[in-house]
């Protein structure tokens, strides 16, 4: 654990340097690392200790650059959303939301290849009311994953903020969210001693990072600042997608298999002990089959099932979905090792 803490400490300083240069993203860099050290449910708590400390220290360093107009539009709508997100963390798997976040980060890839001229021509500032939507979405996602990071950096860039203003305004917008999240996570029991120590390690590293990065920012042009920001979004998205996908596959026991017959190809996708069968035949096209229980059958087929049941050792049921057709049902009836199939 000592080696992990040292590596996390050094990695956090580097991550928050990159975060300040890019206008955000340290949280999304640290999530895959914390996922290796902690259960998913307590990662947001550990991460939030660090991001709260980072926001406070950045406000202290860059307070004169805060855009208060954006602050007063953003914060009132983000607070109820973060309450909702933090409450839902007990009921939904945060890994799936992290996967969606990763996708939205990766779609920033085309921004990396835009020239300075094209950016000036194509980018228009968002209207102020967009801050209501951004604030709500940022609060909700932050409440579940513990991070906002680079996901909303694009919006700050489109509002025409300079690099120091982005760093300062983001910190001011998010400091209240992080404090509320910490209170909620503790009240819901979504923490552990290990998560606390790792969070404190991140906190100390963020303070060092915030007070040293002010010597780096003046050497970056606004154009380079934006390009680094978009690049960090894409890289963080790829890292998050790979790490989260592996965790989802392990947790939900996802597997794929394919078999080829003379006139059809059948692929089986297993997820949480449920098999989804994707079948392609030249005469019928694509079909998706899902195993079901008897109580999921329509009433007239329940009667058929009850009539068949005494005559067979076991009966497996599948619901078949075909494009532009009503769902069909298949009965796989076994008697003394012999299979009889009924399609209705």
């Amino acid at each position: 654990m000592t080696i992990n803490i040292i590596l996390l400490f050094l990695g956090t300083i580097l991550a928050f340097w990159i975060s300040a240069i890019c206008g955000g993203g340290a949280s999304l860099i640290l999530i895959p690392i914390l996922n290796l050290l902690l259960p998913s449910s307590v990662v947001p708590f550990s991460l939030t200790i660090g991001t709260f400390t980072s926001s406070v220290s950045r406000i202290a360093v860059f307070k004169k650059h805060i855009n208060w107009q954006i602050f007063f539009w953003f914060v009132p709508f983000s607070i109820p959303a973060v309450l909702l997100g933090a409450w839902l963390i007990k009921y939904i798997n945060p890994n799936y939301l992290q996967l969606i976040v990763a996708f939205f980060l990766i779609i920033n890839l085309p921004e990396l290849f835009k020239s300075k001229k094209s950016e000036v021509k194509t980018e228009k500032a968002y209207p102020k009311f967009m801050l209501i939507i951004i604030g709500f979405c940022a609060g909700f996602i932050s409440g579940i994953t513990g991070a906002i990071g680079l996901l909303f950096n694009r919006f700050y860039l489109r509002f025409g903020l300079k690099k120091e203003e982005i760093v300062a305004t983001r910190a001011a917008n998010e400091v209240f969210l992080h404090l509320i999240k910490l209170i909620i996570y503790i009240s819901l029991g979504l923490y552990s001693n290990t998560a606390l120590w790792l969070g404190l390690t991140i906190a100390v590293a963020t303070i060092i990072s915030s007070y040293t990065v002010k010597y780096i920012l003046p050497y970056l042009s606004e154009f380079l600042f934006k390009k680094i920001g978009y690049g960090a979004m894409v890289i963080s998205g790829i890292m998050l997608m790979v790490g989260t996908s592996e965790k989802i596959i392990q947790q939900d026991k996802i597997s794929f298999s394919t078999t080829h017959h003379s006139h059809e190809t059948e692929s089986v996708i297993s997820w949480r002990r449920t098999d989804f069968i994707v079948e392609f035949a030249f005469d019928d096209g694509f079909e998706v089959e899902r195993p079901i229980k008897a109580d999921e059958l329509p009433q007239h087929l329940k009667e058929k099932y009850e009539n068949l049941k005494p005559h067979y050792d076991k009966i497996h049921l599948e619901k078949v979905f075909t494009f532009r057709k009503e769902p069909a049902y298949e009965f796989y009836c076994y008697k003394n090792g012999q299979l009889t199939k009924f399609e209705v």
Side-chain angles (χ1 to χ4, degrees), residues 92-112:
I92 65 176
N93 187 343
N95 286 321
Y96 285 99
L97 186 59
Q98 288 179 19
L99 200 62
I100 296 170
V101 169
F103 171 75
F104 280 105
L105 287 169
I106 291 171
I107 62 175
N108 284 290
L109 183 62
E111 298 292 336
L112 281 174

Side-chain angles (χ1 to χ4, degrees), residues 12 16 19 26-27 30 43-61 142 146-149 167-168 170-183 185-186 196 198-207 210-211:
T12 299
F16 277 89
S19 170
S27 299
L30 292 175
V43 165
F45 171 77
S46 186
L47 192 58
T48 302
I49 293 175
T51 50
F52 171 73
T53 309
S54 173
S55 294
V56 172
S57 58
R58 286 184 185 181
I59 290 170
V61 176
S142 183
I148 303 172
V167 173
R170 281 189 68 246
N173 284 348
E174 295 167 16
V175 69
F176 291 103
L177 301 185
H178 298 321
L179 180 59
I180 292 168
K181 285 187 296 180
L182 282 176
I183 295 169
Y185 294 152
I186 292 170
L196 175 62
L198 293 179
L200 292 174
T201 301
I202 295 171
V204 174
T206 61
I207 294 172
S210 294
Y211 278 90

Side-chain angles (χ1 to χ4, degrees), residues 64-333:
K64 65 180 181 180
H65 297 286
I66 296 172
N67 186 312
W68 291 107
Q69 187 180 18
I70 288 180
F71 172 85
F72 287 120
W73 277 84
F74 182 98
V75 171
F77 299 97
S78 62
I79 290 175
V82 78
L83 293 171
L84 176 63
W87 177 73
L88 283 174
I89 199 173
K90 294 204 77 163
Y91 305 99
I92 65 176
N93 187 343
N95 286 321
Y96 285 99
L97 186 59
Q98 288 179 19
L99 200 62
I100 296 170
V101 169
F103 171 75
F104 280 105
L105 287 169
I106 291 171
I107 62 175
N108 284 290
L109 183 62
E111 298 292 336
L112 281 174
F113 303 101
K114 282 187 179 179
S115 65
K116 197 169 186 177
K117 270 186 184 177
S118 64
E119 282 197 352
V120 172
K121 287 180 182 177
T122 58
E123 286 202 356
K124 295 179 181 177
Y126 289 120
K128 288 289 189 296
F129 74 84
M130 278 294 293
L131 284 166
I132 297 174
I133 300 171
I134 296 166
F136 185 88
C137 294
F140 181 72
I141 293 172
S142 183
I144 295 178
T145 65
I148 303 172
L150 290 167
L151 184 61
F152 295 95
N153 194 37
R154 179 177 186 146
F155 295 97
Y156 287 102
L157 291 170
R158 291 289 290 272
F159 277 109
L161 274 62
K162 304 300 182 185
K163 52 185 183 291
E164 290 86 0
E165 289 178 317
I166 290 176
V167 173
T169 307
R170 281 189 68 246
N173 284 348
E174 295 167 16
V175 69
F176 291 103
L177 301 185
H178 298 321
L179 180 59
I180 292 168
K181 285 187 296 180
L182 282 176
I183 295 169
I184 294 172
Y185 294 152
I186 292 170
S187 66
L188 294 176
L190 297 171
Y191 67 95
S192 66
N193 289 334
T194 304
L196 175 62
W197 283 109
L198 293 179
L200 292 174
T201 301
I202 295 171
V204 174
T206 61
I207 294 172
I208 296 172
S209 177
S210 294
Y211 278 90
T212 53
V213 78
K214 65 180 180 180
Y215 301 106
I216 300 173
L217 282 181
Y219 294 98
L220 298 176
S221 68
E222 296 295 337
F223 180 73
L224 180 60
F225 178 81
K226 288 183 179 182
K227 290 303 178 187
I228 294 173
Y230 286 124
M233 290 185 209
V234 175
I235 293 170
S236 296
I238 293 170
M239 288 175 59
L240 193 60
M241 181 168 283
V242 171
T244 306
S245 298
E246 289 178 356
K247 205 159 190 178
I248 289 173
I249 289 169
Q250 290 173 2
Q251 285 181 349
D252 293 338
K253 298 178 175 59
I254 298 174
S255 62
F256 303 87
S257 62
T258 302
T259 55
H260 300 279
H261 305 290
S262 56
H263 295 291
E264 62 184 32
T265 299
E266 184 178 276
S267 298
V268 180
I269 305 169
S270 297
W271 179 74
R272 291 187 178 183
R273 298 180 182 177
T274 301
D275 292 336
F276 293 88
I277 302 168
V278 181
E279 185 178 284
F280 175 76
F282 289 104
D283 51 350
D284 296 325
F286 280 102
E287 293 181 348
V288 177
E289 302 172 359
R290 181 177 69 86
I292 61 172
K293 295 180 180 178
D295 57 8
E296 297 179 63
L297 289 168
Q299 188 58 44
H300 68 286
L301 292 181
K302 283 181 182 177
E303 295 174 5
K304 180 179 180 67
Y305 173 79
E306 293 299 330
N307 291 333
L308 291 172
K309 197 173 177 182
H311 304 288
Y312 294 94
D313 301 326
K314 59 182 178 180
I315 300 175
H316 290 166
L317 304 170
E318 287 185 357
K319 189 173 183 178
V320 183
F321 301 90
T322 308
F323 183 62
R324 290 184 176 178
K325 291 183 180 179
E326 289 294 319
Y329 296 85
E330 294 179 349
F331 291 67
Y332 293 84
C333 306

